[in-house]
Amino acid sequence: MQAVSKLLCCAFLTSAALAQSHKTKTAEKLDLPLELSREAPLPANVGKALALSEASLAADPGAKAGQDGRVILTYGSGTPTIVCALLNLTEIDLEPGETVAKDGVEIGDTAEFLTLVRHVSRGEGQGGYDYVLVKPKAANIETTMAVGTDRRVYYIRLRSTEDKFLTRVAFSYPAEVAAKALQEQASLLKLSSLEADLPVVLPPPRPPIKPWKYTTKTKGRDAAYLLPLSVGDDGAHTYIQLSPEARVRGLPVLQIRDASGPIPANTHWDDNTLIVDALFEDGCLLEGVGRKQQRVCIHNLSLAVPLAAVPLAAKENGHAAK
């Protein structure tokens, strides 16, 4: 009996020693420094692509004042950043007649941002449109959002803050306006050629429109509706995009300044875009006469060589439109 007890005791002590040795080795293993990372190294050939993408994020979207408190951004001019705030809605308006595709809104951080798509009707023939509402749930969060429509895809960077935000945002499309004008011109030429049984001769492609950097000055109690949504030129013509309201309320005329003073400009309309057969440094959009005249003067900051030293708006008393 005593021999059995001694054997059991020896077995217990041996098991305890083995367990202690295992614990010691495990602890030693755990004390080793571990370097774990889920990020794989980037290939060497993506550096240029990343630099171009970062440049797009840093590009100036050409923000301008629009109707009813809207901020107008130039579509295609980099990746716009839209600032949102807690407890507030930011409205992103699409082009009249444009609709968001089914499941067309995708956002990187669905946990911290809420998005809703709504539609507004403006009466028969006035062009309803879709708009996207964005509401952040937390401050100091940055993510990106893509909105796919029946016309294009908007890629937007969102940034949430405690109290600073953009109330309403819309877009201008100067490059698409120019492309549309070229297509219409080509269609007319093709139709004329078919009717005359002549071969189609297309005009040379129109140079791309370069957006202006410009300032504006209004005069008149209700002149804000004449503020341009965008201004640019192709080296020979100036394109001034206005809101649909500007054409409904009355077609404005353009007065520009040359060496001899203010003169009427040669212009024609393409939808809501006033196309000017010249480049200018200073010009004024005029609608109405006398005390009821509404005026918006445009000063071009993009010209390398100024065309005039005195802005047109500064000569109101001596050269007012009749």
Side-chain angles (χ1 to χ4, degrees), residues 47-57:
K48 182 178 180 180
L50 284 173
L52 292 172
S53 182
E54 291 170 359
S56 175
L57 290 171

Side-chain angles (χ1 to χ4, degrees), residues 81-308:
T81 296
I82 296 180
V83 181
C84 312
L86 295 178
L87 305 178
N88 289 281
L89 291 173
T90 292
E91 174 187 321
I92 304 174
D93 295 340
L94 305 185
E95 191 178 25
E98 186 175 14
T99 58
V100 177
K102 182 180 180 181
D103 300 325
V105 178
E106 297 289 346
I107 191 166
D109 190 343
T110 57
E112 303 297 351
F113 285 85
L114 174 67
T115 59
L116 297 170
V117 178
R118 296 289 184 263
H119 180 81
V120 61
S121 298
R122 304 174 62 182
E124 186 176 355
Q126 296 191 27
Y129 60 90
D130 282 4
Y131 60 96
V132 181
L133 296 173
V134 180
K135 180 180 180 182
K137 300 178 183 179
N140 302 316
I141 303 294
E142 184 173 297
T143 189
T144 53
M145 177 177 68
V147 180
T149 76
D150 58 347
R151 298 182 183 178
R152 57 184 68 87
V153 176
Y154 300 80
Y155 191 80
I156 299 167
R157 179 166 58 180
L158 299 175
R159 181 71 179 268
S160 64
T161 69
E162 293 284 350
D163 52 9
K164 293 181 175 62
F165 68 105
L166 302 180
T167 55
R168 308 177 77 182
V169 177
F171 293 87
S172 62
Y173 311 90
E176 295 181 19
V177 169
K180 179 182 176 182
L182 183 60
Q183 290 175 355
E184 291 178 351
Q185 185 178 8
S187 297
L188 291 174
L189 287 174
K190 183 177 181 180
L191 180 61
S192 299
S193 298
L194 290 174
E195 291 175 350
D197 198 21
L198 295 174
V200 176
V201 179
L202 296 177
R206 178 177 293 174
I209 296 177
K210 181 180 179 182
W212 280 11
K213 292 183 179 180
Y214 62 94
T215 59
T216 58
K217 181 178 179 181
T218 62
K219 183 176 180 181
R221 184 178 61 182
D222 199 26
Y225 76 93
L226 292 175
L227 285 169
L229 300 181
S230 66
V231 183
D233 70 76
D234 60 7
H237 304 85
T238 301
Y239 300 82
I240 305 174
Q241 185 182 11
L242 300 175
S243 67
E245 183 182 1
R247 295 202 68 180
V248 172
R249 295 180 61 168
L251 295 178
V253 297
L254 179 68
Q255 196 177 68
I256 63 176
R257 171 176 292 280
D258 66 2
S260 61
I263 59 172
N266 293 325
T267 63
H268 64 277
W269 287 92
D270 179 11
D271 199 10
N272 297 326
T273 299
L274 184 64
I275 302 177
V276 188
D277 296 335
L279 307 185
F280 61 89
E281 182 179 8
D282 293 285
C284 288
L285 292 166
L286 310 174
E287 198 280 316
V289 295
R291 294 183 178 180
K292 294 184 179 180
Q293 185 181 78
Q294 307 300 314
R295 172 181 301 220
V296 170
C297 293
I298 305 168
H299 177 61
N300 182 5
L301 302 175
S302 302
L303 287 179
V305 180
L307 299 180

